[in-house]
Amino acid sequence: MTSLEFTSQVQKISLTLRPAAMNLTRDADDAKDLVQETLLKALLNKDKFKAGTNLKAWLYTIMRNTFINNYNKITKRSSNIDSTEYFQYFNTDQNYITHNGATSDFVVRDINEAIASLGSDYRTPFMMYYIGYKYMEIAEKLQIPIGTVKNRIHIARKELKNALQVYAPVGAGANVDTLEE
């Protein structure tokens, strides 16, 4: 199909595009613009049209896709969300608010003192486990059985819980032996 034949067929079909465009846009001026944009896209992309196929359906598809794309652009532009109310409540959870920095300094100091008070037989495997070593790796590095490693870490945790009982949640009870691990 030559360019001249293609253009003349598109012009004939363009008259039938207007009612469909009016159906989509519900506005006469927008319908005219949609038909015009459809025809422009069709003429610019005439090399993509396969001769022997339905030209009218191809043009309707271009028009429908153009309308959908324009509609999506408009709705994205006009859907600005007022986020001021959202940010008013953002990160206001009491767990994330530090009321007194000195308190956390005391807690960290107490934890470090409690760890330092552990015997080295318990402190070393506990700290290795804390920084990410697996039981087997600790056993290999310290050259002790894996059961001994697990036992020493368990005892270290128990002693730390006793030493830091002051920081236990309210209602957790005074007996450390009943606390779950």
Side-chain angles (χ1 to χ4, degrees), residues 90-161:
F90 187 69
N91 261 352
T92 59
D93 188 350
Q94 293 301 314
N95 295 330
Y96 297 111
I97 298 175
T98 302
H99 297 287
N100 186 348
T103 304
S104 63
D105 291 342
F106 287 125
V107 172
V108 169
R109 186 181 42 145
D110 288 349
I111 292 171
N112 287 333
E113 286 176 4
I115 292 171
S117 72
L118 292 172
S120 66
D121 287 347
Y122 300 106
R123 183 177 55 246
T124 303
F126 174 79
M127 289 307 294
M128 289 176 77
Y129 182 76
Y130 176 74
I131 61 173
Y133 283 94
K134 306 287 183 216
Y135 290 126
M136 193 59 118
E137 294 171 328
I138 298 168
E140 289 172 6
K141 284 215 185 258
L142 299 179
Q143 297 178 350
I144 55 176
I146 193 166
T148 305
V149 169
K150 290 179 180 181
N151 186 38
R152 288 182 182 175
I153 291 171
H154 173 74
I155 291 171
R157 291 167 97 185
K158 194 172 181 179
E159 287 185 23
L160 288 172
K161 283 181 184 179

Side-chain angles (χ1 to χ4, degrees), residues 66-100:
T66 302
F67 173 76
I68 291 170
N69 290 340
N70 289 342
Y71 178 80
N72 287 339
K73 284 179 190 174
I74 290 168
T75 55
K76 281 183 183 177
R77 261 191 244 134
S78 65
S79 66
N80 293 334
I81 299 171
D82 183 18
S83 57
T84 52
E85 285 184 38
Y86 173 75
F87 288 122
Q88 179 180 356
Y89 300 107
F90 187 69
N91 261 352
T92 59
D93 188 350
Q94 293 301 314
N95 295 330
Y96 297 111
I97 298 175
T98 302
H99 297 287
N100 186 348

